[in-house]
Amino acid sequence: MTLVRLTLRNLAGNAFRSWTVFLCALVVAGLTLSATLILRGAESSLRLALKRLGADIVVVPQGAEAKVETALLMGTPATAWMPAGNVGKLATTPGVAVASPQLYLASLSNASCCSASEMFVVALDPANDFTITPWLKQRLGSDLRLGEVVGGARVFTPPGERYIKLYGYHLTLKGNLEPTGTGLDQTMFLTFETAQAVAKGSKTLAEKPLTIPADSVSAILVNVRPEADPRLVARRIKQDLAGVSAIPSLDLFQTFRRQMSGVLRAVIALMGITWALAVGFIALVFSMAANERRREIGVLRALGAPRTYVFQSLLAEAAILALGGGGVGLCLSLLAIYLFRNLLVVSLGIPFLLPSVPSLLLVVSGGLAVALTTVTLAALIPVYRISCQEPALAMRE
Amino acid sequence: MISLQNVAKTFLTKDGTPVPAVKGVSLTVAKGEFVILTGRSGSGKTTLLNLAAGLTRPTAGEVHIGDANLWTLSDRDQSQLRNRKVGFIFQFPSLLPSLSVVENVLLPLSFRSNGTSGAAQRATELLATVGLAEKMGAYPRQLSAGQQQRVVIARSLINRPEVLLADEPTSNLDEQTEREIMGMLREIHASTAVTILLVTHTSQLIPYGTRALEMMDGTIRAEALPV
């Protein structure tokens, strides 16, 4: 009879204790993993979105900051306009290397002339775009031509069709960008030329025409010179250009970052409370179980089991329950996050991207370590006390 | 084989009041003896047995098993000595409920890192000796109190002990089973020459031993006389 076999028999023989500790480990590990994945997923999503934009500064019409941020992060269409002349002025602002204008458009809601309802559409100028064009050249070896679009990871040509319809205009999907977990995944990118063609065609082809105000742009993405400080350049832009807001990319998505901090604080509080309750509960259950098994432990000691054997055997029980419960908790939590990831994005209002496999393995290992530490820590004192008790005292009723 | 020199044990109540259970007892049980220690409830006989086995630390005095002074040994050495030289029969049901009969018999050997070859064969033989060969795979809950105590006897002999310590081994059994168990212990003593110290509240068991002592109020009063 080995220590492991005796331990397994004891686990099976004490169902209440085993299930209680198992469930506590399940909750602690599951919660740790869920919280970590959601927060890391949101953070990496934001990081990727910023990387995809590739801009040091985003210039938008004053008052439209939140709208544009929401559009970029959650894919909710936003329209905002400012004079196209701002592009030229920005290009001459000290410290600015490139200024790339964009038009923010949206498909119609539930209209047969549009394949997707209320889709965020970004039109860009291939001449100075640094968001999509370099990627296109690298991947497809060409620029976007008239009638061609690039989609976010979740943009696709409707099944059985060869084109994506936008205001009745037929567009060819040339490729998809890597997922970011943000609204960019549901965004379609096309050129100014295509946007103007869609607007022109929409007068006859669409249920409602697409209107692009003349000599207007929605946003200007700015890259600064290597020696320039984006914050200083942004400040300068605000001073020089009336009616615009210049947001350094580091300050972009601040509303969401604040929202995330709120979620983070709530999650940390919830985890702290759950952890403390779990530790207390496991300690209580182990004390009760150890007390119930006092006589049995006394007998083991009388038969020649050293203190260390009893200590290791009881801690091994705790560890098996922790790893078992933790493992199941992690699997359930992963499954739930995978199945309900879209619901999470909508209900929490933050972007989310599942991590890569190595990152996931790291988080899973962390979750198991938390479960193991929690249960072992909680069981340590009762186990130590019972293993140190005199056998004669332990055997006494 | 067992030697207690001026051994005392005092317990403290919750309010700190000292309660002496054993008061300066000196006792030597020679190799091969079958000593019956009688006494009324609360006379200190179970505490004395626990002291003899090293299951509780004496407040004063020394306890020896063979050449070893028990309380100069480390916990590991003391446990090893119990595991190799001492067999126990308890008053209460002491089988592990999660283990089968044969696993319970083999249990003491699982605390050893070596020297367990032929253990399964010996366990089978011991269970046959106590008349439970057909119950090897059964669990304690499937056995009567008498059968459980016979398994305990088999377990106490698995390590071929030099000393067998029995605490009221028949107190929960009917008269017929008591006679069977005591007869079994007498046979074991006769066939193996194991040293036995048996504690009981009844003087009816005195005839089974080679020597009887009476304990009263924490001290050994006298050699007890057969009924």
Side-chain angles (χ1 to χ4, degrees):
Chain A
M1 175 70 50
T2 62
L3 172 64
V4 175
R5 277 183 67 198
L6 184 59
T7 302
L8 292 177
R9 293 290 178 85
N10 282 331
L11 289 176
N14 197 333
F16 172 73
R17 188 278 314 260
S18 298
W19 278 112
T20 308
V21 176
F22 186 90
L23 287 174
C24 283
L26 185 151
V27 169
V28 167
L31 198 65
T32 305
L33 183 83
S34 309
T36 312
L37 278 187
I38 290 170
L39 294 172
R40 281 178 68 134
E43 187 53 45
S44 66
S45 225
L46 284 180
R47 246 196 335 266
L48 269 173
L50 285 173
K51 198 175 160 196
R52 175 67 44 76
L53 286 174
D56 295 321
I57 300 167
V58 178
V59 180
V60 295
Q62 205 160 31
E65 301 90 339
K67 219 160 53 164
V68 170
E69 282 187 355
T70 309
L72 293 174
L73 262 189
M74 306 306 291
T76 318
T79 48
W81 303 106
M82 62 182 163
N86 284 346
V87 182
K89 288 179 190 166
L90 270 177
T92 58
T93 303
V96 172
V98 192
S100 173
Q102 293 190 336
L103 305 177
Y104 292 161
L105 312 168
S107 66
L108 287 174
S109 170
N110 297 318
S112 60
C113 60
C114 292
S115 299
S117 179
E118 292 186 71
M119 177 189 263
F120 187 40
V121 179
V122 176
L124 35 88
D125 181 4
N128 50 21
D129 171 60
F130 50 80
T131 304
I132 303 295
T133 308
W135 176 85
L136 268 175
K137 280 189 177 153
Q138 191 193 345
R139 285 289 178 94
L140 307 175
S142 65
D143 287 338
L144 272 182
R145 286 190 284 263
L146 179 66
E148 291 180 342
V149 296
V150 165
R154 296 170 68 186
V155 173
F156 54 90
T157 305
E161 293 183 25
R162 292 170 59 197
Y163 303 102
I164 295 174
K165 278 195 292 182
L166 185 66
Y167 291 88
Y169 196 95
H170 286 187
L171 297 168
T172 306
L173 181 63
K174 291 295 285 183
N176 289 87
L177 301 165
E178 295 291 317
T180 63
T182 66
L184 292 176
D185 292 349
Q186 297 131 47
T187 302
M188 201 155 68
F189 298 87
L190 38 74
T191 61
F192 276 11
E193 188 190 9
T194 302
Q196 293 299 345
V198 170
K200 195 175 167 190
S202 70
K203 288 171 189 162
T204 53
L205 299 170
E207 293 174 17
K208 209 171 142 188
L210 170 65
T211 310
I212 302 174
D215 297 322
S216 297
V217 293
S218 302
I220 305 165
L221 304 192
V222 173
N223 263 353
V224 300
R225 293 184 188 284
E227 71 279 6
D229 178 350
R231 285 185 199 273
L232 293 177
V233 176
R235 202 177 298 161
R236 182 70 184 266
I237 292 168
K238 273 192 238 177
Q239 284 168 2
D240 294 353
L241 286 179
V244 301
S245 181
I247 314 163
S249 61
L250 290 174
D251 296 343
L252 203 61
F253 308 135
Q254 281 307 311
T255 316
F256 294 93
R257 286 183 191 282
R258 275 195 295 276
Q259 206 165 326
M260 270 177 59
S261 312
V263 173
L264 181 68
R265 274 196 298 274
V267 166
I268 288 174
L270 181 68
M271 280 177 64
I273 293 167
T274 311
W275 191 81
L277 283 175
V279 168
F281 199 53
I282 293 169
L284 181 70
V285 168
F286 256 92
S287 291
M288 283 165 58
N291 209 36
E292 269 175 31
R293 287 170 61 190
R294 275 176 62 200
R295 182 172 268 181
E296 180 186 317
I297 289 162
V299 170
L300 289 178
R301 298 273 287 119
L303 297 181
R307 251 183 235 137
T308 48
Y309 179 97
V310 173
F311 185 75
Q312 284 168 2
S313 148
L314 292 174
L315 270 196
E317 288 178 28
I320 289 170
L321 291 172
L323 292 175
V328 172
L330 293 173
C331 290
L332 288 178
S333 155
L334 270 179
L335 189 69
I337 285 181
Y338 182 75
L339 291 177
F340 302 112
R341 61 190 186 282
N342 294 334
L343 192 67
L344 269 174
V345 171
V346 174
S347 57
L348 291 179
I350 54 173
F352 176 71
L353 186 67
L354 276 172
S356 62
V357 174
S359 282
L360 194 62
L361 286 177
L362 198 69
V363 178
V364 165
S365 310
L368 272 184
V370 168
L372 189 63
T373 311
T374 304
V375 175
T376 311
L377 200 69
L380 203 58
I381 292 174
V383 165
Y384 179 75
R385 285 174 64 176
I386 195 74
S387 57
C388 284
Q389 202 166 38
E390 274 192 351
L393 197 63
M395 284 189 286
R396 203 192 282 177
E397 280 282 18
Chain B
M1 192 68 228
I2 305 171
S3 168
L4 292 89
Q5 293 161 17
N6 294 316
V7 168
K9 179 71 184 181
T10 301
F11 293 104
L12 291 177
T13 58
K14 280 180 185 171
D15 62 359
T17 312
V19 179
V22 173
K23 303 170 184 170
V25 169
S26 292
L27 168 70
T28 301
V29 180
K31 190 173 181 184
E33 268 197 299
F34 187 163
V35 176
I36 307 280
L37 184 65
T38 63
R40 298 174 66 174
S41 294
S43 60
K45 55 191 187 301
T46 294
T47 304
L48 191 72
L49 192 82
N50 287 336
L51 286 164
L55 300 181
T56 189
R57 184 184 281 275
T59 316
E62 284 184 7
V63 181
H64 295 256
I65 292 181
D67 298 330
N69 182 346
L70 279 189
W71 294 98
T72 59
L73 301 177
S74 66
D75 176 70
R76 182 164 288 277
D77 290 342
Q78 205 189 77
S79 300
Q80 200 173 50
L81 183 137
R82 269 199 299 272
N83 184 252
R84 291 184 183 276
K85 291 194 172 177
V86 184
F88 284 96
I89 303 170
F90 301 102
Q91 177 183 7
F92 55 85
S94 64
L95 298 177
L96 266 60
S98 56
L99 302 184
S100 69
V101 162
V102 71
E103 286 169 340
N104 263 292
V105 173
L106 288 166
L107 183 63
L109 302 183
S110 63
F111 309 130
R112 293 184 185 182
S113 53
N114 54 10
T116 57
S117 62
Q121 172 70 23
R122 177 156 171 79
T124 309
E125 286 168 8
L126 285 170
L127 283 170
T129 307
V130 296
L132 289 172
E134 76 287 2
K135 297 281 186 184
M136 279 182 29
Y139 282 84
R141 62 178 179 279
Q142 297 167 310
L143 304 180
S144 69
Q147 287 174 322
Q148 287 190 37
Q149 204 61 326
R150 284 196 253 164
V151 177
V152 171
I153 290 172
R155 183 181 68 187
S156 72
L157 298 172
I158 190 75
N159 55 352
R160 293 190 167 87
E162 293 174 23
V163 177
L164 200 55
L165 300 174
D167 183 12
E168 305 266 16
T170 59
S171 66
N172 293 328
L173 307 176
D174 58 69
E175 272 185 42
Q176 171 64 24
T177 315
E178 179 181 271
R179 276 197 296 276
E180 284 173 17
I181 296 286
M182 288 310 296
M184 207 173 278
L185 285 177
R186 187 157 56 188
E187 278 174 33
I188 289 164
H189 177 250
S191 61
T192 64
V194 63
T195 307
I196 301 179
L197 176 58
L198 184 147
V199 159
T200 177
H201 66 280
T202 168
S203 52
Q204 286 174 337
L205 303 187
I206 290 174
Y208 291 96
T210 55
R211 180 157 67 114
L213 300 167
E214 188 181 5
M215 209 163 167
M216 190 179 281
D217 203 19
T219 56
I220 292 176
R221 282 281 297 263
E223 298 279 325
L225 298 170
V227 179

